[in-house]
Amino acid sequence: MSLYADLPRVTYEGPESTNPLAFRWYDANRVVLGKTLAEHLRPAVCYWHSFCWGGQDPFALGQPLFERAWFQGEPMAAARLKLDAAFDFFDRLGLPFWCFHDRDVAPEGATLRESHAMLDTLLEKAARKMEDTGVRLLWGTANLFSHPRYMGGAATNPDPEVFAHAAAQVKHVLEWTHRLGGANYVLWGGREGYETLLNTDLSRELDQYGRFLAAVVEHKHKIGFTGALLIEPKPKEPTKHQYDFDTATVYGFLKRYGLEHEVKVNIEVNHATLSGHSFEHEVATACALGLMGSLDANRGDEQLGWDTDQFPNNHVALVPALHALIAHGGFSSGGMNFDARVRRQSLDPADLLAGHIGGIDTLARAFLCAAALHESGELTQAVQQRYAGWNGALGQRILGGASLQALSDEVLSRGLDPRPVSGRQERLENLVNRFV
Ligand code: XUL
Ligand code: CO
């Protein structure tokens, strides 16, 4: 008997429902702005936090805290059990997508060849389950950060053999992601960063990373994978300085290596806040720079300075980012992956379901608010009005390339004397609050 088979199948019951295991806002088939909520949000369950994490924290030694049958026994049998349990869980929850790292799905073998073979066996099984259930793959990725060989980085490792190993691993998972019809392939820069400059050649490491990414792009085209390649920015943890600090840093990196039209970003809420930005800043930056890919929906804790990966539970906080996303036209290949885990005292199978239900309801409610705000057009108009001068003759001359000399002549001859105007922040904050 599977762990999750006894759980109820989650259904939408509406905002008045008091059923703790029902959706109150996520009505998957509700049409808003021309598409269903499921089509807008494209929500995904992540394999690693939900089925691989055993409740350990840095103070817990030894065995996993959670009692799961797949945390013991022969590794391949355990991995099969875990896959069955995961698809049972997907079935209960009814979200359209899932996401995985290679090492979440299958154990690491004694050699890469052995690791590949085990992954192949498990992903063949996953492919059949995807076909049976209709659950699709939002993205696949390779774990280039858990095995000790990667402790000094993968692509940015001082040892080229480690680079080659990482390349071989990514090649295999990229091909599988293609075969499973994945919408995206994610590269989170696990240990691509450094602890101290005393032992680090920063410029060499960036060149290595640039070459790695270019090789991934080449292979993507070679095999005909049409999904998006996504870098997931994070400023710190596990290393002190992660190279993919934030979206703007990633953009600079991509520009330097000529990859800005090939790779987009997967923005995680908790990574955004760790970088000292708001989530909406990261989303708006990605939209502005043409890098908007996908989102890892979670949250941090305002009093804690690390990556707590909690399920989102505050819809108001998400409205500005979703408003920016809607204004941008929404996702193309992306979606919302729950890169989130329950707290370690949440031992019961139903806790995992409740975490996802709360998370998806929070996203759905935030989306509905943001869609209403977008449809009213009031905020958009206020911003357009603020920049209206740029549509006039002077604005157009400036953007057309007017020189400092020409602008100086114009100010002096016309006696231009611009007056400050209100940014109306409080009025705009009140406006947004009408929609939440
Ligand atoms: C780590 C993190 C990863 C990526 C996938 O902080 O967010 O789980 O999302 O490798
Ligand atoms: Co993430």
Side-chain angles (χ1 to χ4, degrees), residues 396-420:
Q396 291 304 302
R397 276 203 298 284
I398 294 173
L399 294 179
S403 66
L404 292 188
Q405 182 66 58
L407 293 172
S408 171
D409 292 347
E410 181 149 358
V411 174
L412 294 173
S413 67
R414 289 175 55 197
L416 294 183
D417 183 19
R419 297 280 155 194

mmCIF file with all atom_site columns, all heavy atoms in Angstrom, residues 396-420:
data_model
loop_
_atom_site.group_PDB
_atom_site.id
_atom_site.type_symbol
_atom_site.label_atom_id
_atom_site.label_alt_id
_atom_site.label_comp_id
_atom_site.label_asym_id
_atom_site.label_entity_id
_atom_site.label_seq_id
_atom_site.pdbx_PDB_ins_code
_atom_site.Cartn_x
_atom_site.Cartn_y
_atom_site.Cartn_z
_atom_site.occupancy
_atom_site.B_iso_or_equiv
_atom_site.pdbx_formal_charge
_atom_site.auth_seq_id
_atom_site.auth_comp_id
_atom_site.auth_asym_id
_atom_site.auth_atom_id
_atom_site.pdbx_PDB_model_num
ATOM 1   N N   . GLN A 1 396 ? 11.413 61.971 -28.037 1.00 0.00 ? 396 GLN A N   1
ATOM 2   C CA  . GLN A 1 396 ? 11.762 61.223 -29.249 1.00 0.00 ? 396 GLN A CA  1
ATOM 3   C C   . GLN A 1 396 ? 13.120 61.663 -29.802 1.00 0.00 ? 396 GLN A C   1
ATOM 4   O O   . GLN A 1 396 ? 13.900 60.841 -30.282 1.00 0.00 ? 396 GLN A O   1
ATOM 5   C CB  . GLN A 1 396 ? 10.667 61.393 -30.316 1.00 0.00 ? 396 GLN A CB  1
ATOM 6   C CG  . GLN A 1 396 ? 9.357  60.709 -29.935 1.00 0.00 ? 396 GLN A CG  1
ATOM 7   C CD  . GLN A 1 396 ? 9.553  59.216 -29.640 1.00 0.00 ? 396 GLN A CD  1
ATOM 8   O OE1 . GLN A 1 396 ? 10.017 58.462 -30.477 1.00 0.00 ? 396 GLN A OE1 1
ATOM 9   N NE2 . GLN A 1 396 ? 9.236  58.793 -28.414 1.00 0.00 ? 396 GLN A NE2 1
ATOM 10  N N   . ARG A 1 397 ? 13.392 62.980 -29.721 1.00 0.00 ? 397 ARG A N   1
ATOM 11  C CA  . ARG A 1 397 ? 14.713 63.462 -30.187 1.00 0.00 ? 397 ARG A CA  1
ATOM 12  C C   . ARG A 1 397 ? 15.830 62.864 -29.336 1.00 0.00 ? 397 ARG A C   1
ATOM 13  O O   . ARG A 1 397 ? 16.874 62.490 -29.848 1.00 0.00 ? 397 ARG A O   1
ATOM 14  C CB  . ARG A 1 397 ? 14.763 65.000 -30.129 1.00 0.00 ? 397 ARG A CB  1
ATOM 15  C CG  . ARG A 1 397 ? 14.170 65.685 -31.369 1.00 0.00 ? 397 ARG A CG  1
ATOM 16  C CD  . ARG A 1 397 ? 14.711 67.103 -31.557 1.00 0.00 ? 397 ARG A CD  1
ATOM 17  N NE  . ARG A 1 397 ? 14.380 67.992 -30.458 1.00 0.00 ? 397 ARG A NE  1
ATOM 18  C CZ  . ARG A 1 397 ? 13.184 68.548 -30.250 1.00 0.00 ? 397 ARG A CZ  1
ATOM 19  N NH1 . ARG A 1 397 ? 12.187 68.283 -31.086 1.00 0.00 ? 397 ARG A NH1 1
ATOM 20  N NH2 . ARG A 1 397 ? 12.958 69.344 -29.231 1.00 0.00 ? 397 ARG A NH2 1
ATOM 21  N N   . ILE A 1 398 ? 15.614 62.796 -28.009 1.00 0.00 ? 398 ILE A N   1
ATOM 22  C CA  . ILE A 1 398 ? 16.652 62.244 -27.117 1.00 0.00 ? 398 ILE A CA  1
ATOM 23  C C   . ILE A 1 398 ? 16.915 60.783 -27.466 1.00 0.00 ? 398 ILE A C   1
ATOM 24  O O   . ILE A 1 398 ? 18.053 60.364 -27.671 1.00 0.00 ? 398 ILE A O   1
ATOM 25  C CB  . ILE A 1 398 ? 16.228 62.364 -25.634 1.00 0.00 ? 398 ILE A CB  1
ATOM 26  C CG1 . ILE A 1 398 ? 16.149 63.835 -25.209 1.00 0.00 ? 398 ILE A CG1 1
ATOM 27  C CG2 . ILE A 1 398 ? 17.200 61.593 -24.733 1.00 0.00 ? 398 ILE A CG2 1
ATOM 28  C CD1 . ILE A 1 398 ? 15.572 64.058 -23.807 1.00 0.00 ? 398 ILE A CD1 1
ATOM 29  N N   . LEU A 1 399 ? 15.825 60.013 -27.558 1.00 0.00 ? 399 LEU A N   1
ATOM 30  C CA  . LEU A 1 399 ? 15.997 58.578 -27.843 1.00 0.00 ? 399 LEU A CA  1
ATOM 31  C C   . LEU A 1 399 ? 16.534 58.350 -29.253 1.00 0.00 ? 399 LEU A C   1
ATOM 32  O O   . LEU A 1 399 ? 17.176 57.343 -29.528 1.00 0.00 ? 399 LEU A O   1
ATOM 33  C CB  . LEU A 1 399 ? 14.669 57.837 -27.657 1.00 0.00 ? 399 LEU A CB  1
ATOM 34  C CG  . LEU A 1 399 ? 14.171 57.813 -26.205 1.00 0.00 ? 399 LEU A CG  1
ATOM 35  C CD1 . LEU A 1 399 ? 12.839 57.083 -26.116 1.00 0.00 ? 399 LEU A CD1 1
ATOM 36  C CD2 . LEU A 1 399 ? 15.180 57.143 -25.270 1.00 0.00 ? 399 LEU A CD2 1
ATOM 37  N N   . GLY A 1 400 ? 16.293 59.336 -30.130 1.00 0.00 ? 400 GLY A N   1
ATOM 38  C CA  . GLY A 1 400 ? 16.806 59.231 -31.502 1.00 0.00 ? 400 GLY A CA  1
ATOM 39  C C   . GLY A 1 400 ? 18.290 59.535 -31.589 1.00 0.00 ? 400 GLY A C   1
ATOM 40  O O   . GLY A 1 400 ? 18.887 59.470 -32.659 1.00 0.00 ? 400 GLY A O   1
ATOM 41  N N   . GLY A 1 401 ? 18.890 59.949 -30.459 1.00 0.00 ? 401 GLY A N   1
ATOM 42  C CA  . GLY A 1 401 ? 20.345 60.121 -30.458 1.00 0.00 ? 401 GLY A CA  1
ATOM 43  C C   . GLY A 1 401 ? 20.825 61.559 -30.315 1.00 0.00 ? 401 GLY A C   1
ATOM 44  O O   . GLY A 1 401 ? 21.974 61.863 -30.668 1.00 0.00 ? 401 GLY A O   1
ATOM 45  N N   . ALA A 1 402 ? 19.990 62.456 -29.792 1.00 0.00 ? 402 ALA A N   1
ATOM 46  C CA  . ALA A 1 402 ? 20.414 63.855 -29.623 1.00 0.00 ? 402 ALA A CA  1
ATOM 47  C C   . ALA A 1 402 ? 21.707 63.935 -28.808 1.00 0.00 ? 402 ALA A C   1
ATOM 48  O O   . ALA A 1 402 ? 21.879 63.224 -27.828 1.00 0.00 ? 402 ALA A O   1
ATOM 49  C CB  . ALA A 1 402 ? 19.302 64.641 -28.921 1.00 0.00 ? 402 ALA A CB  1
ATOM 50  N N   . SER A 1 403 ? 22.619 64.803 -29.218 1.00 0.00 ? 403 SER A N   1
ATOM 51  C CA  . SER A 1 403 ? 23.916 64.945 -28.542 1.00 0.00 ? 403 SER A CA  1
ATOM 52  C C   . SER A 1 403 ? 23.796 65.836 -27.317 1.00 0.00 ? 403 SER A C   1
ATOM 53  O O   . SER A 1 403 ? 22.805 66.558 -27.146 1.00 0.00 ? 403 SER A O   1
ATOM 54  C CB  . SER A 1 403 ? 24.932 65.549 -29.508 1.00 0.00 ? 403 SER A CB  1
ATOM 55  O OG  . SER A 1 403 ? 24.530 66.887 -29.803 1.00 0.00 ? 403 SER A OG  1
ATOM 56  N N   . LEU A 1 404 ? 24.805 65.842 -26.489 1.00 0.00 ? 404 LEU A N   1
ATOM 57  C CA  . LEU A 1 404 ? 24.830 66.744 -25.342 1.00 0.00 ? 404 LEU A CA  1
ATOM 58  C C   . LEU A 1 404 ? 24.760 68.187 -25.824 1.00 0.00 ? 404 LEU A C   1
ATOM 59  O O   . LEU A 1 404 ? 24.081 69.020 -25.234 1.00 0.00 ? 404 LEU A O   1
ATOM 60  C CB  . LEU A 1 404 ? 26.105 66.530 -24.514 1.00 0.00 ? 404 LEU A CB  1
ATOM 61  C CG  . LEU A 1 404 ? 26.239 65.204 -23.772 1.00 0.00 ? 404 LEU A CG  1
ATOM 62  C CD1 . LEU A 1 404 ? 27.460 65.242 -22.844 1.00 0.00 ? 404 LEU A CD1 1
ATOM 63  C CD2 . LEU A 1 404 ? 25.000 64.871 -22.961 1.00 0.00 ? 404 LEU A CD2 1
ATOM 64  N N   . GLN A 1 405 ? 25.444 68.472 -26.953 1.00 0.00 ? 405 GLN A N   1
ATOM 65  C CA  . GLN A 1 405 ? 25.451 69.848 -27.494 1.00 0.00 ? 405 GLN A CA  1
ATOM 66  C C   . GLN A 1 405 ? 24.027 70.260 -27.880 1.00 0.00 ? 405 GLN A C   1
ATOM 67  O O   . GLN A 1 405 ? 23.558 71.331 -27.508 1.00 0.00 ? 405 GLN A O   1
ATOM 68  C CB  . GLN A 1 405 ? 26.362 69.903 -28.725 1.00 0.00 ? 405 GLN A CB  1
ATOM 69  C CG  . GLN A 1 405 ? 26.495 71.289 -29.346 1.00 0.00 ? 405 GLN A CG  1
ATOM 70  C CD  . GLN A 1 405 ? 27.206 72.264 -28.416 1.00 0.00 ? 405 GLN A CD  1
ATOM 71  O OE1 . GLN A 1 405 ? 28.338 72.022 -28.014 1.00 0.00 ? 405 GLN A OE1 1
ATOM 72  N NE2 . GLN A 1 405 ? 26.532 73.360 -28.034 1.00 0.00 ? 405 GLN A NE2 1
ATOM 73  N N   . ALA A 1 406 ? 23.356 69.368 -28.597 1.00 0.00 ? 406 ALA A N   1
ATOM 74  C CA  . ALA A 1 406 ? 22.004 69.695 -29.056 1.00 0.00 ? 406 ALA A CA  1
ATOM 75  C C   . ALA A 1 406 ? 21.062 69.901 -27.870 1.00 0.00 ? 406 ALA A C   1
ATOM 76  O O   . ALA A 1 406 ? 20.238 70.827 -27.867 1.00 0.00 ? 406 ALA A O   1
ATOM 77  C CB  . ALA A 1 406 ? 21.477 68.576 -29.948 1.00 0.00 ? 406 ALA A CB  1
ATOM 78  N N   . LEU A 1 407 ? 21.215 69.058 -26.848 1.00 0.00 ? 407 LEU A N   1
ATOM 79  C CA  . LEU A 1 407 ? 20.315 69.170 -25.695 1.00 0.00 ? 407 LEU A CA  1
ATOM 80  C C   . LEU A 1 407 ? 20.627 70.435 -24.902 1.00 0.00 ? 407 LEU A C   1
ATOM 81  O O   . LEU A 1 407 ? 19.719 71.135 -24.437 1.00 0.00 ? 407 LEU A O   1
ATOM 82  C CB  . LEU A 1 407 ? 20.431 67.927 -24.804 1.00 0.00 ? 407 LEU A CB  1
ATOM 83  C CG  . LEU A 1 407 ? 19.904 66.652 -25.480 1.00 0.00 ? 407 LEU A CG  1
ATOM 84  C CD1 . LEU A 1 407 ? 20.216 65.428 -24.629 1.00 0.00 ? 407 LEU A CD1 1
ATOM 85  C CD2 . LEU A 1 407 ? 18.398 66.752 -25.730 1.00 0.00 ? 407 LEU A CD2 1
ATOM 86  N N   . SER A 1 408 ? 21.904 70.745 -24.779 1.00 0.00 ? 408 SER A N   1
ATOM 87  C CA  . SER A 1 408 ? 22.300 71.970 -24.098 1.00 0.00 ? 408 SER A CA  1
ATOM 88  C C   . SER A 1 408 ? 21.715 73.180 -24.829 1.00 0.00 ? 408 SER A C   1
ATOM 89  O O   . SER A 1 408 ? 21.115 74.073 -24.214 1.00 0.00 ? 408 SER A O   1
ATOM 90  C CB  . SER A 1 408 ? 23.832 72.033 -24.052 1.00 0.00 ? 408 SER A CB  1
ATOM 91  O OG  . SER A 1 408 ? 24.243 73.290 -23.599 1.00 0.00 ? 408 SER A OG  1
ATOM 92  N N   . ASP A 1 409 ? 21.833 73.194 -26.161 1.00 0.00 ? 409 ASP A N   1
ATOM 93  C CA  . ASP A 1 409 ? 21.292 74.306 -26.957 1.00 0.00 ? 409 ASP A CA  1
ATOM 94  C C   . ASP A 1 409 ? 19.786 74.433 -26.735 1.00 0.00 ? 409 ASP A C   1
ATOM 95  O O   . ASP A 1 409 ? 19.254 75.527 -26.571 1.00 0.00 ? 409 ASP A O   1
ATOM 96  C CB  . ASP A 1 409 ? 21.547 74.067 -28.458 1.00 0.00 ? 409 ASP A CB  1
ATOM 97  C CG  . ASP A 1 409 ? 23.027 74.157 -28.794 1.00 0.00 ? 409 ASP A CG  1
ATOM 98  O OD1 . ASP A 1 409 ? 23.809 74.637 -27.934 1.00 0.00 ? 409 ASP A OD1 1
ATOM 99  O OD2 . ASP A 1 409 ? 23.410 73.712 -29.905 1.00 0.00 ? 409 ASP A OD2 1
ATOM 100 N N   . GLU A 1 410 ? 19.120 73.279 -26.690 1.00 0.00 ? 410 GLU A N   1
ATOM 101 C CA  . GLU A 1 410 ? 17.655 73.300 -26.561 1.00 0.00 ? 410 GLU A CA  1
ATOM 102 C C   . GLU A 1 410 ? 17.217 73.857 -25.206 1.00 0.00 ? 410 GLU A C   1
ATOM 103 O O   . GLU A 1 410 ? 16.320 74.698 -25.126 1.00 0.00 ? 410 GLU A O   1
ATOM 104 C CB  . GLU A 1 410 ? 17.105 71.876 -26.762 1.00 0.00 ? 410 GLU A CB  1
ATOM 105 C CG  . GLU A 1 410 ? 15.589 71.840 -26.654 1.00 0.00 ? 410 GLU A CG  1
ATOM 106 C CD  . GLU A 1 410 ? 14.956 70.769 -27.524 1.00 0.00 ? 410 GLU A CD  1
ATOM 107 O OE1 . GLU A 1 410 ? 15.670 70.061 -28.257 1.00 0.00 ? 410 GLU A OE1 1
ATOM 108 O OE2 . GLU A 1 410 ? 13.710 70.654 -27.471 1.00 0.00 ? 410 GLU A OE2 1
ATOM 109 N N   . VAL A 1 411 ? 17.890 73.397 -24.129 1.00 0.00 ? 411 VAL A N   1
ATOM 110 C CA  . VAL A 1 411 ? 17.519 73.886 -22.794 1.00 0.00 ? 411 VAL A CA  1
ATOM 111 C C   . VAL A 1 411 ? 17.742 75.386 -22.714 1.00 0.00 ? 411 VAL A C   1
ATOM 112 O O   . VAL A 1 411 ? 16.883 76.138 -22.229 1.00 0.00 ? 411 VAL A O   1
ATOM 113 C CB  . VAL A 1 411 ? 18.328 73.164 -21.691 1.00 0.00 ? 411 VAL A CB  1
ATOM 114 C CG1 . VAL A 1 411 ? 18.054 73.784 -20.326 1.00 0.00 ? 411 VAL A CG1 1
ATOM 115 C CG2 . VAL A 1 411 ? 17.983 71.687 -21.659 1.00 0.00 ? 411 VAL A CG2 1
ATOM 116 N N   . LEU A 1 412 ? 18.894 75.829 -23.230 1.00 0.00 ? 412 LEU A N   1
ATOM 117 C CA  . LEU A 1 412 ? 19.214 77.254 -23.122 1.00 0.00 ? 412 LEU A CA  1
ATOM 118 C C   . LEU A 1 412 ? 18.296 78.106 -23.988 1.00 0.00 ? 412 LEU A C   1
ATOM 119 O O   . LEU A 1 412 ? 17.759 79.120 -23.544 1.00 0.00 ? 412 LEU A O   1
ATOM 120 C CB  . LEU A 1 412 ? 20.687 77.482 -23.509 1.00 0.00 ? 412 LEU A CB  1
ATOM 121 C CG  . LEU A 1 412 ? 21.694 76.852 -22.533 1.00 0.00 ? 412 LEU A CG  1
ATOM 122 C CD1 . LEU A 1 412 ? 23.117 76.973 -23.067 1.00 0.00 ? 412 LEU A CD1 1
ATOM 123 C CD2 . LEU A 1 412 ? 21.591 77.489 -21.153 1.00 0.00 ? 412 LEU A CD2 1
ATOM 124 N N   . SER A 1 413 ? 18.062 77.646 -25.226 1.00 0.00 ? 413 SER A N   1
ATOM 125 C CA  . SER A 1 413 ? 17.260 78.498 -26.121 1.00 0.00 ? 413 SER A CA  1
ATOM 126 C C   . SER A 1 413 ? 15.792 78.519 -25.711 1.00 0.00 ? 413 SER A C   1
ATOM 127 O O   . SER A 1 413 ? 15.132 79.540 -25.791 1.00 0.00 ? 413 SER A O   1
ATOM 128 C CB  . SER A 1 413 ? 17.417 78.046 -27.572 1.00 0.00 ? 413 SER A CB  1
ATOM 129 O OG  . SER A 1 413 ? 16.829 76.781 -27.716 1.00 0.00 ? 413 SER A OG  1
ATOM 130 N N   . ARG A 1 414 ? 15.271 77.365 -25.237 1.00 0.00 ? 414 ARG A N   1
ATOM 131 C CA  . ARG A 1 414 ? 13.842 77.338 -24.850 1.00 0.00 ? 414 ARG A CA  1
ATOM 132 C C   . ARG A 1 414 ? 13.629 77.697 -23.400 1.00 0.00 ? 414 ARG A C   1
ATOM 133 O O   . ARG A 1 414 ? 12.502 77.796 -22.935 1.00 0.00 ? 414 ARG A O   1
ATOM 134 C CB  . ARG A 1 414 ? 13.252 75.948 -25.120 1.00 0.00 ? 414 ARG A CB  1
ATOM 135 C CG  . ARG A 1 414 ? 13.104 75.657 -26.626 1.00 0.00 ? 414 ARG A CG  1
ATOM 136 C CD  . ARG A 1 414 ? 12.623 74.225 -26.875 1.00 0.00 ? 414 ARG A CD  1
ATOM 137 N NE  . ARG A 1 414 ? 11.387 73.914 -26.173 1.00 0.00 ? 414 ARG A NE  1
ATOM 138 C CZ  . ARG A 1 414 ? 10.935 72.681 -25.946 1.00 0.00 ? 414 ARG A CZ  1
ATOM 139 N NH1 . ARG A 1 414 ? 11.640 71.653 -26.383 1.00 0.00 ? 414 ARG A NH1 1
ATOM 140 N NH2 . ARG A 1 414 ? 9.811  72.482 -25.294 1.00 0.00 ? 414 ARG A NH2 1
ATOM 141 N N   . GLY A 1 415 ? 14.712 77.822 -22.647 1.00 0.00 ? 415 GLY A N   1
ATOM 142 C CA  . GLY A 1 415 ? 14.588 78.140 -21.213 1.00 0.00 ? 415 GLY A CA  1
ATOM 143 C C   . GLY A 1 415 ? 13.838 77.055 -20.461 1.00 0.00 ? 415 GLY A C   1
ATOM 144 O O   . GLY A 1 415 ? 12.996 77.338 -19.610 1.00 0.00 ? 415 GLY A O   1
ATOM 145 N N   . LEU A 1 416 ? 14.147 75.796 -20.771 1.00 0.00 ? 416 LEU A N   1
ATOM 146 C CA  . LEU A 1 416 ? 13.428 74.680 -20.119 1.00 0.00 ? 416 LEU A CA  1
ATOM 147 C C   . LEU A 1 416 ? 13.682 74.678 -18.621 1.00 0.00 ? 416 LEU A C   1
ATOM 148 O O   . LEU A 1 416 ? 14.816 74.823 -18.175 1.00 0.00 ? 416 LEU A O   1
ATOM 149 C CB  . LEU A 1 416 ? 13.863 73.340 -20.726 1.00 0.00 ? 416 LEU A CB  1
ATOM 150 C CG  . LEU A 1 416 ? 13.504 73.086 -22.189 1.00 0.00 ? 416 LEU A CG  1
ATOM 151 C CD1 . LEU A 1 416 ? 13.949 71.679 -22.605 1.00 0.00 ? 416 LEU A CD1 1
ATOM 152 C CD2 . LEU A 1 416 ? 12.001 73.247 -22.417 1.00 0.00 ? 416 LEU A CD2 1
ATOM 153 N N   . ASP A 1 417 ? 12.631 74.508 -17.845 1.00 0.00 ? 417 ASP A N   1
ATOM 154 C CA  . ASP A 1 417 ? 12.758 74.539 -16.383 1.00 0.00 ? 417 ASP A CA  1
ATOM 155 C C   . ASP A 1 417 ? 11.765 73.535 -15.789 1.00 0.00 ? 417 ASP A C   1
ATOM 156 O O   . ASP A 1 417 ? 10.718 73.910 -15.272 1.00 0.00 ? 417 ASP A O   1
ATOM 157 C CB  . ASP A 1 417 ? 12.457 75.962 -15.882 1.00 0.00 ? 417 ASP A CB  1
ATOM 158 C CG  . ASP A 1 417 ? 12.636 76.064 -14.376 1.00 0.00 ? 417 ASP A CG  1
ATOM 159 O OD1 . ASP A 1 417 ? 13.308 75.185 -13.791 1.00 0.00 ? 417 ASP A OD1 1
ATOM 160 O OD2 . ASP A 1 417 ? 12.091 77.017 -13.790 1.00 0.00 ? 417 ASP A OD2 1
ATOM 161 N N   . PRO A 1 418 ? 12.099 72.197 -15.906 1.00 0.00 ? 418 PRO A N   1
ATOM 162 C CA  . PRO A 1 418 ? 11.113 71.185 -15.490 1.00 0.00 ? 418 PRO A CA  1
ATOM 163 C C   . PRO A 1 418 ? 10.798 71.241 -14.000 1.00 0.00 ? 418 PRO A C   1
ATOM 164 O O   . PRO A 1 418 ? 11.682 71.469 -13.185 1.00 0.00 ? 418 PRO A O   1
ATOM 165 C CB  . PRO A 1 418 ? 11.798 69.864 -15.847 1.00 0.00 ? 418 PRO A CB  1
ATOM 166 C CG  . PRO A 1 418 ? 13.246 70.185 -15.981 1.00 0.00 ? 418 PRO A CG  1
ATOM 167 C CD  . PRO A 1 418 ? 13.360 71.620 -16.373 1.00 0.00 ? 418 PRO A CD  1
ATOM 168 N N   . ARG A 1 419 ? 9.511  71.007 -13.702 1.00 0.00 ? 419 ARG A N   1
ATOM 169 C CA  . ARG A 1 419 ? 9.036  71.040 -12.309 1.00 0.00 ? 419 ARG A CA  1
ATOM 170 C C   . ARG A 1 419 ? 8.879  69.617 -11.774 1.00 0.00 ? 419 ARG A C   1
ATOM 171 O O   . ARG A 1 419 ? 8.406  68.743 -12.514 1.00 0.00 ? 419 ARG A O   1
ATOM 172 C CB  . ARG A 1 419 ? 7.654  71.720 -12.248 1.00 0.00 ? 419 ARG A CB  1
ATOM 173 C CG  . ARG A 1 419 ? 7.646  73.148 -12.687 1.00 0.00 ? 419 ARG A CG  1
ATOM 174 C CD  . ARG A 1 419 ? 8.145  74.051 -11.570 1.00 0.00 ? 419 ARG A CD  1
ATOM 175 N NE  . ARG A 1 419 ? 8.690  75.286 -12.115 1.00 0.00 ? 419 ARG A NE  1
ATOM 176 C CZ  . ARG A 1 419 ? 9.428  76.139 -11.422 1.00 0.00 ? 419 ARG A CZ  1
ATOM 177 N NH1 . ARG A 1 419 ? 9.746  75.868 -10.171 1.00 0.00 ? 419 ARG A NH1 1
ATOM 178 N NH2 . ARG A 1 419 ? 9.869  77.236 -11.972 1.00 0.00 ? 419 ARG A NH2 1
ATOM 179 N N   . PRO A 1 420 ? 9.244  69.364 -10.508 1.00 0.00 ? 420 PRO A N   1
ATOM 180 C CA  . PRO A 1 420 ? 9.042  68.019 -9.931  1.00 0.00 ? 420 PRO A CA  1
ATOM 181 C C   . PRO A 1 420 ? 7.557  67.639 -9.906  1.00 0.00 ? 420 PRO A C   1
ATOM 182 O O   . PRO A 1 420 ? 6.702  68.509 -9.696  1.00 0.00 ? 420 PRO A O   1
ATOM 183 C CB  . PRO A 1 420 ? 9.562  68.149 -8.496  1.00 0.00 ? 420 PRO A CB  1
ATOM 184 C CG  . PRO A 1 420 ? 10.415 69.371 -8.491  1.00 0.00 ? 420 PRO A CG  1
ATOM 185 C CD  . PRO A 1 420 ? 9.861  70.291 -9.547  1.00 0.00 ? 420 PRO A CD  1
#
